[in-house]
């Protein structure tokens, strides 16, 4: 989608407003519910169950801060499909964020001969 | 039919007319003495018949054997395949070629060509694709009249799109005279190649045995010449079953194929191209359907090194060593954008090489090259394209279009470039090498994410396999993009047979079947074939592993089991999100679970060693080890790996 058109749309649907509002008060998230949602709403499809990334999407670990994370969901930078507030409430986004934050980082390569 | 004019053939109708007039006695007599039959309907003293339609000679139920002194059309057809050096005939049997099949087995001794039992016509053609990508030679796929063609059509489309020579032989019952009602009638056609003519290079339907060898040769030539591709030779059942007197068999010529020298560019053009490349500040080599044999890669390395230019391997074939310092395939974007000259080598689709189109709701082509980039196309891979199907994408012009075989042109081009090489090339090469030297390290760092995850990460899966085959000669005959291209990122790939490119028509079902054909071709070389097939791909034709078991074709067959048609799950997700509807339903109709498939059990049911489902990454290593031991014994082994989607 062309960026200008997208921004216009975002304005109409109030997405941009929501994103700004978040900047002030990020809701606390429930990681267990976030895990369920991560799989249920398709994040795993492109980012992997472990947020490790792959051909269809970048790795999510280490997690972005909440604001850019939420902004990416509402107004993806590029090819990621958008998740509107209708599809995913602010609280649900916060839950997913909490889950992504809880994901382990990379394995310590020093202990993995195949990765040395 | 006899090649001799002094030995007139009894035309089938004429013979029947005579037989009907003379009654059953004549039919019986003709078995013992074809001359008697001839005598009954031709003037006294006429010569012996050269051929007879066997069907009339032996009406069903009479059980009379072929008269002594006669051979059959199928024998001649078998000789033709042998003359064309066709080693295998992959086939799901059908009565429209029973006369040919029986000849291959009993007359030819089932050696060169040898029958490969396939469980679907689509598999036969895909086997032939995998085989041809290793050997450069066509394998025959013998398919039943009409219905076999229909089944085979997608694989034929793949072969056409991928420019792989496949020699398709279709049975038929051209004459309605002797066709029985029911299946025989339904499996006959006046022009069955019409179904696939948009995506085959040539087809023939000879109507006499005399014409068969020419038709067979012409098809072969079309399959392997220029941009290769599939061809279809229709072998009429009556001709297969037609009797020929032994005295006349020698009159039927055999096809002869001479040496082929591909067209290379003339010296002036080579000089012009070399000048462009050497005068360019930032030349880029972009390779598609180039690497087809053991000379391809060494030549391209020589050219790239002479120029010290970056190389993008689009992976339409194995084109360039993945660890070469000039290989920028995974970081090619900036190189293309800054290029002043792009040499597009054997591109099937030039548009896709120089333009991108993202999956957005308003789609605007995005140039991948700069405004002033000059594009030179060197190759013939676009020349077999036909209208109607979209394989060639949008039209994209080249500034200079050199319609010559790229590999054939390579020696002269290398020499010309070397003559004009400039001292500053070395610095360019160093800059590139600086950018590529960390790629492996970066890949390993990324592979560390999700390393211990279950389902198993595709990086872990590929790293574990590599660790156990890294000292082998090997082939990955399957596409790797659904595995996030980890083999290209983690392994060493530098032989043309290390990787075989893509399906050509994006028709799912290619990978699993083509892998078996490649493994067959690898068998005499002792190479390990490692198929990495999607669960969806595998389920399009799971019977292919039975063929591997039956024919003792060694292959490590790894199923990348993400329990679904994952590519489509993502598409559905995109649609739902875009439409701002439920985002939780993308699994409906796109996943293969509930119940889960048990691929190991499926493999066992076909006599194939198997393990799985393996979902704990620590179980991978021993499972691969055991499976490889089976493969080393010369047998197939299946591993069902429950893995991350990409
Ligand atoms: C004959 C055919 N049918 C359907 C498709 C659409 N399609 C493209 S990729 C894909 C999924 C294939 O499943 P699998 O091999 O398991 O790969 P995955 O995407 O799950 O990794 C499908 C169905 C196709 N390309 N060809
Ligand atoms: Mg799958």
């Amino acid at each position: 989608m062309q960026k200008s058109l997208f921004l216009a749309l975002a304005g109409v649907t109030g997405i941009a407003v929501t994103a700004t509002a978040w900047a002030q008060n990020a809701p606390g998230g429930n990681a267990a519910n976030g895990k369920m949602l991560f799989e249920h709403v398709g994040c795993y499809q492109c980012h992997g169950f472990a947020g490790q990334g792959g051909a269809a999407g970048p790795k999510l670990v280490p997690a972005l801060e909440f604001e850019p994370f939420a902004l990416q969901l509402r107004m993806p930078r590029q090819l990621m499909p958008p998740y509107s507030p209708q599809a995913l409430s602010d609280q649900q986004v916060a839950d997913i964020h909490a889950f992504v934050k809880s994901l382990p980082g990379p394995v310590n390569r020093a202990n993995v001969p195949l990765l040395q | 039919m006899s090649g001799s004019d002094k030995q007139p053939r009894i035309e089938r109708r004429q013979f029947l007319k005579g037989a009907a007039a003379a009654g059953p006695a004549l039919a019986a007599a003709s078995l013992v003495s074809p001359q008697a039959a001839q005598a009954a309907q031709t003037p006294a003293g006429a010569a012996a018949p050269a051929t007879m339609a066997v069907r009339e000679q032996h009406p069903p139920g009479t059980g009379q054997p072929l008269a002594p002194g006669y051979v059959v059309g199928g024998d001649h057809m078998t000789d033709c395949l042998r003359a064309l050096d066709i080693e295998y005939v992959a086939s799901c049997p059908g009565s429209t070629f029973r006369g040919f099949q029986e000849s291959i087995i009993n007359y030819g001794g089932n050696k060169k060509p040898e029958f490969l039992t396939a469980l679907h016509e689509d598999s036969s053609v895909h086997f032939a694709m995998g085989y041809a990508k290793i050997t450069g030679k066509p394998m025959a796929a013998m398919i039943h009249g009409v219905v076999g063609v229909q089944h085979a059509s997608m694989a034929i489309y793949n072969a056409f799109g991928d420019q792989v020579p496949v020699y398709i032989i279709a049975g038929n019952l051209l004459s309605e005279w002797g066709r029985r009602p029911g299946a025989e009638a339904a499996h006959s056609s006046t022009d069955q190649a019409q179904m696939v003519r948009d995506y085959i290079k040539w087809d023939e339907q000879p109507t006499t045995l005399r014409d068969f060898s020419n038709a067979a040769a012409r098809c072969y030539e079309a399959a392997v010449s220029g941009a290769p591709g599939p061809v279809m030779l229709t072998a009429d059942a009556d001709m297969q079953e037609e009797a020929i007197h032994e005295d006349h068999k020698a009159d039927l010529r055999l096809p002869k194929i001479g040496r082929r020298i591909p067209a290379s560019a003339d010296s002036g053009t080579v000089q012009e191209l070399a000048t462009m490349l050497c005068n360019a500040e930032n030349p880029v080599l972009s390779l598609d359907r180039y690497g087809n044999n053991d000379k391809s890669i060494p030549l391209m390395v020589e050219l790239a090194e002479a120029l010290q230019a970056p190389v993008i391997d689009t992976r339409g074939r194995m084109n360039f060593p993945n660890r070469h310092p000039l290989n920028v395939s995974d970081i090619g974007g900036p190189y293309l954008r800054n290029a002043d000259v792009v040499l597009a080598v054997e591109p099937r689709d030039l548009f896709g090489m120089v333009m991108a189109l993202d999956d957005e709701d308003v789609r605007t082509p995005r140039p991948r090259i700069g405004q002033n980039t000059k594009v030179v196309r060197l190759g013939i891979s676009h020349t077999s394209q036909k209208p109607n199907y979209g394989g060639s994408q949008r039209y994209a012009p080249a500034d200079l279009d050199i319609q010559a075989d790229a590999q054939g042109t390579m020696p002269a081009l290398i020499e010309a470039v070397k003559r004009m090489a400039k001292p500053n090339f070395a610095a360019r090469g160093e800059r590139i090498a600086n950018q590529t030297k960390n790629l492996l390290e970066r890949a390993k760092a990324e592979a560390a994410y999700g390393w211990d995850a279950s389902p198993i990460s595709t990086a872990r899966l590929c790293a574990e396999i590599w660790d156990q085959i890294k000292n082998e000669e090997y082939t990955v005959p399957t596409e790797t993009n659904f595995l996030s291209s980890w083999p290209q990122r983690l392994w060493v790939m530098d032989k043309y047979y290390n990787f075989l490119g893509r399906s050509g028509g994006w028709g799912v079902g290619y990978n699993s079947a083509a892998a078996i054909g490649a493994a067959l071709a690898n068998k005499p070389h002792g190479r390990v074939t490692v198929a990495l097939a999607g669960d969806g791909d595998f389920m399009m034709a799971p019977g292919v592993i039975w063929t591997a078991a039956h024919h003792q074709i060694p292959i490590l067959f790894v199923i990348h089991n993400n329990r679904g048609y994952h590519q489509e799950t993502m598409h559905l997700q995109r649609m739902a999100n875009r439409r701002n509807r439920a985002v939780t339903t993308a699994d409906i109709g796109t996943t293969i679970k509930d119940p889960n498939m048990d691929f190991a059990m499926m493999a066992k049911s076909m006599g194939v060693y198997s393990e799985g489902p393996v979902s704990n990454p620590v179980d991978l290593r021993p499972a691969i080890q055991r499976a490889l031991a089976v493969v080393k014994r010369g047998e197939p082994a299946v591993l069902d790996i429950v893995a991350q989607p990409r």
Side-chain angles (χ1 to χ4, degrees):
Chain A
M1 182 190 272
Q2 283 152 337
K3 210 72 197 172
S4 55
L5 175 61
F6 186 73
L7 284 174
L9 251 176
V12 171
T13 54
I15 292 173
V17 179
T18 318
T20 329
W22 274 339
Q24 280 108 45
N25 55 6
N30 174 334
N33 194 44
K35 177 177 165 35
M36 189 273 290
L37 284 166
F38 190 85
E39 292 170 17
H40 213 48
V41 304
C43 314
Y44 83 93
Q45 292 168 17
C46 307
H47 298 290
F49 288 101
Q52 80 277 14
K59 63 178 158 55
L60 301 181
V61 185
L64 295 176
E65 286 310 309
F66 181 74
E67 189 192 354
F69 183 90
L71 200 60
Q72 168 67 19
L73 266 60
R74 299 300 192 214
M75 289 197 293
R77 285 199 313 279
Q78 222 185 327
L79 293 178
M80 174 168 141
Y83 286 84
S84 73
Q86 209 176 311
L88 213 53
S89 71
D90 291 356
Q91 183 58 53
Q92 288 175 315
V93 172
D95 291 352
I96 296 175
H97 183 249
F99 167 66
V100 171
K101 268 192 117 154
S102 75
L103 285 168
V107 73
N108 182 357
R109 287 172 58 198
N111 303 329
V112 182
L114 297 189
L115 293 179
Q116 279 153 32
Chain B
M1 167 71 194
S2 156
S4 163
D5 290 329
K6 60 187 181 348
Q7 306 285 7
R9 168 188 176 169
I10 297 181
E11 287 306 329
R12 191 172 174 189
R13 267 171 216 217
Q14 194 190 346
F15 176 81
L16 275 174
K17 224 163 58 194
L26 173 61
S30 71
L31 296 174
V32 182
S33 161
Q35 284 85 347
Q38 176 79 352
Q41 54 186 305
T42 52
T51 68
M52 323 188 94
V54 161
R55 207 175 289 261
E56 282 76 45
Q57 197 184 11
H58 305 280
T62 60
Q64 298 290 340
L66 183 68
Y70 280 77
V71 293
V72 286
D75 297 354
H76 170 60
M77 294 175 179
T78 302
D79 287 338
C80 286
L81 293 191
R82 191 166 284 171
L84 293 171
D85 196 29
I86 287 178
E87 286 186 302
Y88 294 101
V89 176
S91 181
C92 167
S95 61
T96 50
F97 56 82
R98 63 184 190 176
F100 201 161
Q101 180 170 4
E102 193 277 341
S103 290
I104 290 173
I105 295 165
N106 290 327
Y107 168 77
N110 199 25
K111 287 223 165 59
K112 229 182 167 202
E114 177 185 343
F115 243 75
L116 279 185
T117 314
L119 305 183
H120 196 294
E121 287 79 0
D122 169 277
S123 304
S124 300
V125 175
H126 281 147
F127 288 161
M129 279 184 79
Y131 170 90
K133 284 187 182 185
I134 297 280
T135 61
K137 277 183 12 174
M139 175 197 281
M142 196 174 271
I143 60 181
H144 199 18
V146 182
V147 285
V149 180
Q150 288 163 336
H151 254 187
S153 61
M154 185 201 78
I156 297 172
Y157 186 63
N158 274 340
F160 186 74
D162 203 29
Q163 301 175 349
V164 177
V166 176
Y167 201 79
I168 296 150
I169 301 169
N172 194 20
L173 284 146
L174 192 54
S175 161
E176 67 174 25
W177 194 258
R179 267 184 224 153
R180 293 181 296 163
E184 284 193 354
H187 299 160
S188 57
S189 161
T190 45
D191 183 17
Q192 61 184 344
Q194 168 271 335
M195 288 188 272
V196 295
R197 194 165 282 130
D198 279 350
Y199 41 95
I200 52 178
K201 282 190 72 188
W202 196 262
D203 65 274
E204 295 271 354
Q205 178 164 250
T207 51
T208 68
L209 263 186
R210 192 207 297 255
D211 293 336
F212 189 85
S213 64
N214 273 355
R218 217 190 314 267
C219 280
Y220 188 95
E221 190 177 84
V224 298
S225 304
V231 294
M232 184 183 290
L233 172 65
T234 291
D236 183 51
D238 283 331
M239 271 164 52
Q240 299 167 31
E241 299 183 28
E242 188 174 315
I244 323 158
H245 197 274
E246 270 171 359
D247 290 352
H248 306 298
K249 208 183 138 225
D251 298 337
L252 297 174
R253 273 171 299 149
L254 290 178
K256 187 164 173 266
I257 300 290
R259 275 175 66 218
R260 289 183 310 282
I261 310 293
S264 47
D266 65 278
S267 56
T269 307
V270 167
Q271 191 56 39
E272 184 183 346
L273 174 57
T275 307
M276 273 179 93
L277 290 170
C278 290
N279 288 344
E281 199 102 328
N282 297 308
V284 171
L285 310 179
S286 181
L287 323 174
D288 182 15
R289 297 304 206 284
Y290 167 76
N292 288 302
N293 55 55
D294 55 5
K295 310 248 173 11
S296 318
I297 293 179
L299 284 168
M300 191 53 73
V301 167
E302 208 177 334
L303 177 66
E305 289 179 357
L307 279 167
Q308 290 296 311
V311 179
I312 297 173
D313 185 345
T314 65
R315 298 175 184 150
R317 291 286 187 274
M318 178 69 223
N319 291 308
F320 201 70
N322 66 334
R323 298 265 180 94
H324 193 285
L326 294 170
N327 190 329
V328 299
S329 305
D330 288 332
I331 50 168
Y335 286 99
L336 270 180
R337 271 195 300 281
N338 296 331
D340 40 9
V341 175
V342 172
L343 179 62
V345 180
E346 298 291 358
R348 175 70 176 177
D349 164 26
L350 191 58
F351 177 85
M353 217 176 233
V354 297
M355 302 292 278
L357 209 54
D358 293 324
D359 190 356
E360 295 172 298
D361 44 2
V362 177
R363 295 182 175 193
T364 316
R366 181 164 52 77
R368 306 177 67 199
I369 53 176
Q371 252 183 345
N372 299 317
T373 308
K374 290 259 176 295
V375 177
V376 182
R377 171 164 58 191
L378 171 62
I380 49 170
S381 292
H382 57 298
T383 57
S384 65
Q385 278 163 8
K386 291 187 180 183
N388 194 17
Y389 291 95
S392 51
Q393 237 282 345
R394 295 193 198 185
Y395 179 74
D399 295 290
L400 176 62
D401 196 3
I402 306 175
Q403 302 195 356
D405 181 83
Q407 184 169 326
T409 305
M410 213 47 64
L413 182 60
I414 292 165
E415 211 175 286
V417 165
K418 281 184 175 168
R419 274 199 306 271
M420 281 186 284
K422 297 178 183 168
N424 64 344
F425 286 3
R428 180 166 67 207
E430 259 169 57
R431 278 198 305 276
I432 299 164
N434 253 328
Q435 300 231 293
T436 54
K437 70 168 188 257
N438 290 327
L439 286 178
L440 177 62
E441 174 59 25
R442 250 160 64 185
K444 285 183 175 172
E446 278 189 37
Y449 288 85
W451 184 255
D452 290 325
S454 173
I456 296 168
S457 79
T458 51
R460 174 90 182 250
L461 171 60
C462 295
E464 295 278 4
I465 295 172
W466 174 241
D467 194 48
Q468 296 191 49
I469 64 155
K470 63 187 178 209
N471 297 320
E472 308 278 352
E473 294 293 333
Y474 74 91
T475 294
V476 173
T478 43
E479 293 160 306
T480 52
N481 38 330
F482 289 178
L483 290 161
S484 298
S485 303
W486 281 114
Q488 276 85 0
R489 300 177 66 196
L490 293 174
W491 300 14
V492 176
M493 297 185 140
D494 54 10
K495 310 267 181 0
Y496 84 95
Y497 53 77
N498 285 157
F499 175 64
L500 302 183
R502 290 187 279 264
S503 66
W506 308 93
V508 170
Y510 160 84
N511 287 299
S512 304
I516 306 298
L520 175 70
N522 274 340
K523 191 174 168 177
H525 301 283
R527 293 177 197 138
V528 177
T529 307
V530 185
L532 303 163
D535 51 339
D537 186 279
F538 178 64
M539 284 310 294
M540 290 278 176
V544 298
I545 57 166
W546 177 87
T547 298
H550 182 69
H551 292 281
Q552 289 173 323
I553 300 171
I555 181 168
L556 176 61
F557 197 103
V558 178
I559 298 177
H560 167 215
N561 183 1
N562 54 20
R563 303 214 200 279
Y565 298 118
H566 187 72
Q567 192 66 13
E568 305 308 314
T569 314
M570 293 189 292
H571 276 304
L572 212 59
Q573 188 72 50
R574 202 172 280 288
M575 286 298 98
N577 288 35
R578 215 175 258 176
R579 294 167 181 183
N580 201 15
R581 298 207 271 238
V583 291
T584 54
T585 52
D587 59 332
I588 297 179
T590 62
T591 45
I592 311 177
K593 52 188 177 197
D594 216 359
N596 289 338
M597 295 264 175
D598 188 337
F599 295 113
M601 197 191 284
M602 195 183 294
K604 284 190 182 75
S605 79
M606 292 189 260
V608 176
Y609 177 88
S610 64
E611 289 194 36
V614 179
S615 50
N616 186 340
V618 299
D619 297 335
L620 261 181
R621 170 174 291 268
I624 295 167
Q625 214 158 23
R626 289 186 294 265
L628 271 175
V630 173
V631 174
K632 288 286 176 69
R633 287 206 307 265
E635 292 169 33
V638 166
L639 293 179
D640 172 5
I641 309 297
V642 181
Q644 296 277 334
R646 286 285 175 269

